[in-house]
Amino acid sequence: MSQRNFVGFRGIAGFAAMLALLTGATAQWTVVNLHVGEYGSEVRGVGDGQQVGGTGYHACMWSGTAASWVSLEPAGAGNPEPSFANAASGGQQVGYARFGGQYHAGLWTGTAASWVDLNPAVTDRSVANGVGGGQQVGVAVVNDAGRASLWSGTAASWVNLDPLFSEASEAHGVSGGQQVGVALLGNLWRASLWTGTAASWVNLDPVGSGGSGAHAIGGGQIVGWASVGGVTSASLWTGTAASWVNLNPAGSTESKARGVSGGKQVGYAEIGGFKRASLWSGTAASWVDLHAFLPAEFESSYARGIWIDGVSTYVVGFGYNTTTGRDEALMWVSVYDPDNFTLTLNKATVAGQNSVLGTITVVETKPSNTVFTTYDNSSLVTTPPSVTVLAGQLSRNFQITVTAITSSVVTTIFAKRGTLTRSQTLTLAPLIPTAISFTPNPVTGGLPTSCRVVINGVAGPGGRDIAIFDNSPYATTPSTVTVPAGATSVTFPITTIPVTSIKYVTVTARVTAGEKTGTFRINP
């Protein structure tokens, strides 16, 4: 299939190659598992109390619980993958159903029987991706290429949004009479904005990007992705290419934003090789790891849509459950609580006597000081008895001191105010050698060289003793060296003897919890 060809029902993602955890800054989250049936399920859209998606590629809708599931699959839809719902808004749901072996864009109003076939007369293939304000958007194949498409409730209302000189295009989101998606120009996908006609097309592709795409629009904000510096990054716009904001959080190797509502953006970020459902509030630093609220059996997760009703926030998507071996439809729900707060640590693991920075963040400023009780569950760390967030401020940092240990220990840091308690785990790691180097290397036999051993933290009182071994009669090393208190490394001399041919010497720095080896060369 050429680049101009129809991307298919997975076109939302198909147009581009695709830790310290943070808790929610506005609320804690409850996860509702909406999965039903034997096969995998996904939620792809949410609006007005309705969640839509598919179970085993059969279009369906929920109303907040797994038990509320109803099928949206229209009569006559054929296999394989007969139907799917992609978005919901204002009591309407959109997606596709397969007829005559081809996908047809479609519209529902809450029941399978309400299905309206939106497939325009000029083609036999189309998909609806977004809905809002009585308009539906998606893609239809015209002249063997996907064309961004707009409908107003009927197949006859179809409008071709494909911009001039575009090789192909798709529309993915619609709100307030504006449509967003992608257009293929110059062999790169470009994030795109329309206001109802092909001629209204606006290129949102940021300067210097290697391609971009827009997935959703709401409240004047547009979300999607852009490839910047070789990294696919979740992105936010407010109507122009120059307004682009990079949402990719620190430590993420890939991210995309898929939904927007009420100044919040959702999608995923890849951390440590796994996709994690994510929430932003307009900046990369605002990133919230929604995956952290899932049970441990979920290996990865994606957020696909968000809806805010003024009291609660609803984020929908799916996650891969390693116990059941399938994707399962999920919904994260938070209720705004003005007394809520979060506790974060700047390190998940600490070695030696390095200090750890804790931060308490409240959801809104208060007219007076707010005092939190802070404590821990181990004699190996010291936490201040209380932390005060000052009037008019949102956060306060505090120091946690750590005792040097010889084996790994997991501790917990707590913050409490009233009936609310937040906690973060902190792993204490032993001091071990992490690097070893020699200067000079190579060295002429009979001359000394210096060896430097680096450890993974700051040595405590009394220093850190390290045993030294070598494997050669041509060099002499001390049996033990000590990293001084307050230091992270130690340097010591190694004597060598004259040699008649090149010799290699391996030196090992060892403690009970680990070791590091290095090699230097002796020249004649």
Side-chain angles (χ1 to χ4, degrees):
M1 183 177 293
S2 71
Q3 271 190 307
R4 293 175 51 84
N5 282 350
F6 181 48
V7 174
F9 80 92
R10 292 180 181 174
I12 290 180
F15 53 73
M18 287 267 345
L19 114 101
L21 303 181
L22 300 178
T23 55
T26 57
Q28 293 296 296
W29 295 82
T30 300
V31 178
V32 180
N33 192 325
L34 296 175
H35 178 78
V36 293
E38 178 182 356
Y39 302 104
S41 60
E42 297 180 15
V43 189
R44 291 189 179 174
V46 59
D48 302 291
Q50 298 174 330
Q51 305 86 43
V52 297
T55 55
Y57 295 107
H58 297 269
C60 62
M61 183 176 73
W62 298 265
S63 300
T65 65
S68 67
W69 178 91
V70 295
S71 172
L72 292 180
E73 187 162 286
N79 289 317
E81 301 177 2
S83 61
F84 220 99
N86 288 325
S89 178
Q92 293 186 330
Q93 308 85 37
V94 296
Y96 69 84
R98 184 188 289 270
F99 296 99
Q102 301 291 351
Y103 296 127
H104 285 205
L107 168 68
W108 298 270
T109 51
T111 66
S114 67
W115 163 264
V116 175
D117 194 330
L118 297 178
N119 197 59
V122 295
T123 183
D124 59 359
R125 290 175 286 169
S126 57
V127 166
N129 294 321
V131 59
Q135 293 185 323
Q136 306 83 39
V137 294
V139 57
V141 174
V142 180
N143 296 328
D144 199 34
R147 307 296 184 182
S149 298
L150 171 66
W151 297 269
S152 300
T154 65
S157 67
W158 177 73
V159 176
N160 186 346
L161 296 178
D162 193 53
L164 189 65
F165 303 123
S166 168
E167 299 170 59
S169 57
E170 301 180 5
H172 295 303
V174 56
S175 176
Q178 293 183 307
Q179 306 83 36
V180 297
V182 292
L184 184 63
L185 294 101
N187 206 37
L188 287 177
W189 290 102
R190 316 283 184 170
S192 301
L193 171 67
W194 297 270
T195 51
T197 65
S200 68
W201 177 74
V202 175
N203 186 353
L204 297 178
D205 193 45
V207 174
S209 86
S212 59
H215 288 300
I217 180 172
Q221 293 188 330
I222 300 163
V223 296
W225 62 273
S227 178
V228 180
V231 177
T232 298
S233 300
S235 298
L236 171 66
W237 296 266
T238 50
T240 65
S243 68
W244 176 74
V245 176
N246 190 338
L247 297 179
N248 194 52
S252 172
T253 55
E254 176 184 295
S255 58
K256 286 188 177 182
R258 309 303 297 263
V260 60
S261 179
K264 306 289 185 182
Q265 307 85 37
V266 298
Y268 74 84
E270 184 170 310
I271 308 288
F274 292 95
K275 306 293 194 299
R276 305 179 74 89
S278 300
L279 172 77
W280 295 269
S281 301
T283 65
S286 69
W287 176 71
V288 176
D289 182 11
L290 295 178
H291 185 88
F293 298 97
L294 294 177
E297 59 266 25
F298 282 90
E299 179 180 74
S300 60
S301 58
Y302 300 75
R304 296 294 298 265
I306 179 172
W307 176 62
I308 300 175
D309 65 5
V311 176
S312 299
T313 299
Y314 304 86
V315 177
V316 298
F318 58 96
Y320 182 74
N321 188 327
T322 57
T323 300
T324 61
R326 65 192 176 202
D327 287 329
E328 295 184 352
L330 301 170
M331 181 167 67
W332 291 259
V333 182
S334 75
V335 178
Y336 182 80
D337 180 354
D339 292 324
N340 200 6
F341 69 94
T342 62
L343 168 67
T344 60
L345 305 179
N346 72 329
K347 299 174 183 176
T349 301
V350 61
Q353 294 203 251
N354 289 350
S355 62
V356 177
L357 185 69
T359 302
I360 291 176
T361 303
V362 296
V363 299
E364 61 183 34
T365 59
K366 303 294 192 296
S368 58
N369 293 348
T370 306
V371 180
F372 297 84
T373 301
T374 49
Y375 55 100
D376 56 74
N377 68 343
S378 172
S379 61
L380 299 173
V381 298
T382 302
T383 304
S386 66
V387 174
T388 300
V389 177
L390 300 178
Q393 296 187 3
L394 287 172
S395 64
R396 184 66 179 269
N397 297 331
F398 62 96
Q399 291 292 126
I400 303 164
T401 58
V402 178
T403 300
I405 59 173
T406 58
S407 60
S408 184
V409 176
V410 178
T411 63
T412 305
I413 310 299
F414 298 90
K416 181 178 181 181
R417 181 173 183 267
T419 60
L420 297 178
T421 301
R422 304 288 178 250
S423 64
Q424 288 287 334
T425 57
L426 176 64
T427 300
L428 310 185
L431 288 171
I432 60 173
T434 56
I436 187 168
S437 60
F438 307 91
T439 305
N441 184 14
V443 62
T444 300
L447 298 179
T449 186
S450 294
C451 178
R452 181 172 182 258
V453 177
V454 179
I455 59 176
N456 59 332
V458 178
R464 178 57 158 156
D465 292 337
I466 300 175
I468 303 296
F469 304 88
D470 67 74
N471 69 340
S472 173
Y474 305 104
T476 302
T477 58
S479 60
T480 303
V481 295
T482 301
V483 179
T488 59
S489 67
V490 60
T491 300
F492 57 92
I494 298 175
T495 61
T496 68
I497 64 173
V499 296
T500 58
S501 61
I502 291 175
K503 305 296 181 184
Y504 291 91
V505 179
T506 298
V507 177
T508 301
R510 180 181 299 161
V511 296
T512 302
E515 65 179 40
K516 191 70 176 179
T517 61
T519 300
F520 70 93
R521 190 178 78 190
I522 303 176
N523 286 342

